[in-house]
Amino acid sequence: MKKRLIIISLLISTITLSQQANPFEIIFSGKTDKITKENILDIYTFIIDLDKSLKKEKKIITNYDIDYRPLLKNKRLNELGNILNDIKNNLKTQIVCENENNYLKLESKFTASNCGSLDLRNYCIEIVNSNINIDNSSLISNLGIFDYSNNKKWKEIHGGLEYKFKILDENKNEIKLDIVLKAFSKSNYKILSRKDIGKFLFTNKSIKLINLSNNHIALDIIDISNPLIFPYKDGKISNFKGIHTFPLYKSLYEYLISEKDITIEKLSTRFPLEIFKKLNTKGTYKIILPETSIGNEIIIFQKKYKKMELNVEQKL
């Protein structure tokens, strides 16, 4: 099992620079148009490894010792308006060149009260529209959790946000951006078991539970929300260990779950070249695959945000 997970982990974390798409790009990045007669055997082999990881029984989690209540709302809920104004007023945009590539760099900072830890992932700068072509998959961010509990003399603390996007255009003399600033406020949450498979999880029908097995979760996420998910038991939660999260074509996932023994012959019959090329038109499920078992229940949080919109124009 470890060998299979290592194979998948390496494929998830590495993208080849060659002209021919590798199995990772085709299965997880929607590039089914890159499938050819020359590489489809590699794709089938990759799918067989993935299928074994999806179905393998795993070690049971025993350390349910984390209180989930701090995840229900931002401890700085009453400050979010001021924090967003700080981010807006301190926002800087610039083009930087690194390793012969041009990047759009966004950075800002804000002041908040010192009430313990500060999770910078609760605050973000999102580009909605841009006059320059940027590669969102190349995003580099400098975000993390900082604990100020031992610095009680500090009444205020400072947080910084930094993002870099690779620019695909050349010779632009002006930046025009439509930006949304977001600060996490509260969370909706649901405690789920296998009896909830097939149900929409929230009233806005944004997330549907497709599968909850011993070792993976499958979700149909209708909008762009990115839920937080934890194993749950008796009012406490645990952290997943060694988690992999990736999209998987809906029809391919449904076939893998319905079939016991996947072989190259079966895959070539069910998904010949001409059918495989169309898989990306049918949508994907979000798969959560940890190294340890999931248990009987999970808790899922859907974050809500306080938002602020702004337009940025800058001559280069």
Side-chain angles (χ1 to χ4, degrees), residues 20-82:
Q20 183 174 336
N22 64 16
F24 165 80
E25 293 176 289
I26 290 169
I27 299 300
F28 299 142
S29 299
K31 296 185 178 181
T32 56
D33 59 315
K34 301 294 186 181
I35 299 175
T36 65
K37 292 180 180 179
E38 288 72 29
N39 65 14
I40 195 167
L41 185 60
D42 292 335
I43 306 304
Y44 291 151
T45 302
F46 180 83
I47 291 171
I48 290 172
D49 282 337
L50 177 60
D51 176 67
K52 291 177 180 178
S53 292
L54 288 173
K55 295 173 180 175
K56 186 73 174 180
E57 292 294 317
K58 297 178 180 177
K59 182 180 178 181
I60 300 297
I61 291 175
T62 56
N63 58 330
Y64 292 88
D65 55 3
I66 302 173
D67 184 0
Y68 71 85
R69 289 174 295 179
L71 299 172
L72 297 180
K73 69 176 182 179
N74 193 325
K75 65 178 72 176
R76 297 177 175 85
L77 188 62
N78 296 328
E79 304 173 46
L80 298 188
N82 292 334

Side-chain angles (χ1 to χ4, degrees), residues 1 4 188 290 292:
M1 177 56 191
R4 299 294 186 188
N188 291 329
T292 51

Side-chain angles (χ1 to χ4, degrees), residues 242-259:
I243 189 170
H244 301 299
T245 302
F246 51 87
L248 191 57
Y249 303 121
K250 290 183 177 180
S251 55
L252 176 58
Y253 175 79
E254 290 162 359
Y255 174 75
L256 296 180
I257 296 304
S258 65
E259 279 290 323

Side-chain angles (χ1 to χ4, degrees), residues 281-295:
T281 64
K282 306 297 184 180
T284 61
Y285 292 133
K286 179 173 182 174
I287 308 299
I288 297 133
L289 179 66
E291 291 182 4
T292 51
S293 73
I294 293 168

